[in-house]
Amino acid sequence: ISVGKSLIENRCGEVIEMKGVFTNINLRNLKNSTLFHGPCSGAVYIESCEGCKLHLTAQQIRLVDCNNIELCGFVMTSVNLEDCSNIK
């Protein structure tokens, strides 16, 4: 069962757990947070995040302007990085 789109933004120092199957996921301005997110049948777009640990499963993952990110999970096609540093 598809839940749809997910937008999570402007969070700091939180543990966030999202359940369900999503079509698209957008993460913006997360700082020092841990995210557990259900599977995504499309793309996960991560922008301007810092010091986070992200647990994701997706078709594609794109990170833009992110620093000190620990990425855990599975991706079907590719992980794309733009203007990022210290991505593990």
Side-chain angles (χ1 to χ4, degrees), residues 1 3 6 9-11 25-26 28-29 52 68 77 86:
I1 298 173
V3 175
S6 174
E9 61 184 343
N10 303 322
R11 304 287 181 97
I25 300 169
N26 289 288
R28 293 188 195 125
N29 300 316
C52 296
N68 301 318
T77 58
N86 197 28

Side-chain angles (χ1 to χ4, degrees), residues 8 25-30 35 44-47 49 54:
I8 299 172
I25 300 169
N26 289 288
L27 307 174
R28 293 188 195 125
N29 300 316
L30 303 182
L35 174 81
V44 176
Y45 182 77
I46 305 164
E47 181 182 5
C49 295
L54 308 174

Side-chain angles (χ1 to χ4, degrees), residues 6-86:
S6 174
L7 170 63
I8 299 172
E9 61 184 343
N10 303 322
R11 304 287 181 97
C12 184
E14 295 185 34
V15 176
I16 304 160
E17 186 173 347
M18 303 287 291
K19 295 183 179 181
V21 178
F22 296 83
T23 54
N24 290 67
I25 300 169
N26 289 288
L27 307 174
R28 293 188 195 125
N29 300 316
L30 303 182
K31 308 288 185 215
N32 304 313
S33 295
T34 300
L35 174 81
F36 299 92
H37 212 299
C40 179
S41 61
V44 176
Y45 182 77
I46 305 164
E47 181 182 5
S48 301
C49 295
E50 184 176 333
C52 296
K53 187 170 186 177
L54 308 174
H55 299 266
L56 303 164
T57 300
Q59 182 72 22
Q60 180 187 53
I61 297 174
R62 169 173 247 117
L63 293 100
V64 177
D65 193 30
C66 294
N67 301 298
N68 301 318
I69 302 293
E70 186 174 338
L71 187 60
C72 308
F74 178 78
V75 62
M76 294 289 293
T77 58
S78 63
V79 176
N80 300 305
L81 306 174
E82 297 176 27
D83 300 320
C84 295
S85 64
N86 197 28

